[in-house]
């Protein structure tokens, strides 16, 4: 099983590859403004616990992170340190996020990142050679 963790919602189109973005299409269909970036009620999902004290998300899960936005979006800079802390706490989960803003990765990494964390997988979308070289 896999889990989707949408910490914040909303985004800003970055390039021509964003023209048909599913976030914009879905938000528009549901009457939401996709350009408004805001924290979601799911923000603390990985560290939520059940009544018995165990985590709501069991160990070993893949957590698809921030699929209604971009994890490296500048609008989320103030919330990201708390997100990184939750990811650090849950070494028993694998967090996957995909970004179009890979150029921001180095400024968005948490202290203690070193050579990376074994429980984090970062993907980058590249729409064409011209954008890849930018």
């Amino acid at each position: 099983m896999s889990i989707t963790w949408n910490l914040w919602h909303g985004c800003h189109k970055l390039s021509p590859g964003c023209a048909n973005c599913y976030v914009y299409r879905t938000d528009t269909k549901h009457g939401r403004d996709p350009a408004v970036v805001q924290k979601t009620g799911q923000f603390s999902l990985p560290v939520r616990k059940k009544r018995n004290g165990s985590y709501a998300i069991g160990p070993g899960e893949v957590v698809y992170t921030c699929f209604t936005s971009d994890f490296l979006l500048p609008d989320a800079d103030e919330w990201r340190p708390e997100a990184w802390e939750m990811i650090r706490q849950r070494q028993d989960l694998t967090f996957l996020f995909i970004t179009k803003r890979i150029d921001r990765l180095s400024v968005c990494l948490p202290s203690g990142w070193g050579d990376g964390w074994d429980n984090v997988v970062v993907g980058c979308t590249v729409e064409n050679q011209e954008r890849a070289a930018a």
Side-chain angles (χ1 to χ4, degrees):
M1 193 167 104
S2 60
I3 306 294
T4 300
W5 178 35
N6 292 312
L7 304 91
W8 42 85
H9 185 78
C11 202
H12 305 292
K13 292 185 178 186
L14 183 67
S15 69
C18 298
N20 298 306
C21 176
Y22 70 92
V23 171
Y24 271 71
R25 264 194 331 271
T26 304
D27 280 356
T28 302
K29 185 168 87 176
H30 293 288
R32 290 188 300 250
D33 183 350
V36 175
V37 179
Q38 55 193 356
K39 251 177 149 177
T40 70
Q42 283 193 329
F43 188 80
S44 64
L45 182 63
V47 295
R48 288 185 189 158
K49 294 190 175 182
K50 299 176 187 177
R51 288 184 181 178
N52 68 6
S54 66
Y55 284 114
I57 301 174
E61 296 287 353
V62 174
V63 181
Y64 295 94
T65 304
C66 221
F67 273 54
T68 59
S69 187
D70 188 314
F71 190 72
L72 302 181
L73 191 68
D75 300 55
D77 285 353
E78 67 181 286
W79 307 317
R80 197 172 306 98
E82 189 177 352
W84 281 122
E85 179 55 24
M86 288 184 274
I87 291 169
R88 186 196 61 73
Q89 286 177 34
R90 294 300 311 270
Q91 295 291 314
D92 59 332
L93 301 174
T94 299
F95 294 87
L96 165 71
F97 71 86
I98 299 171
T99 183
K100 274 193 176 298
R101 293 166 173 83
I102 199 67
D103 58 307
R104 297 199 72 237
L105 183 63
S106 64
V107 298
C108 294
L109 291 174
S111 62
W113 178 258
D115 291 329
W117 293 349
D118 291 340
N119 68 326
V120 177
V121 177
V122 179
C124 174
T125 59
V126 180
E127 59 205 55
N128 57 37
Q129 282 303 123
E130 182 181 320
R131 294 285 303 160

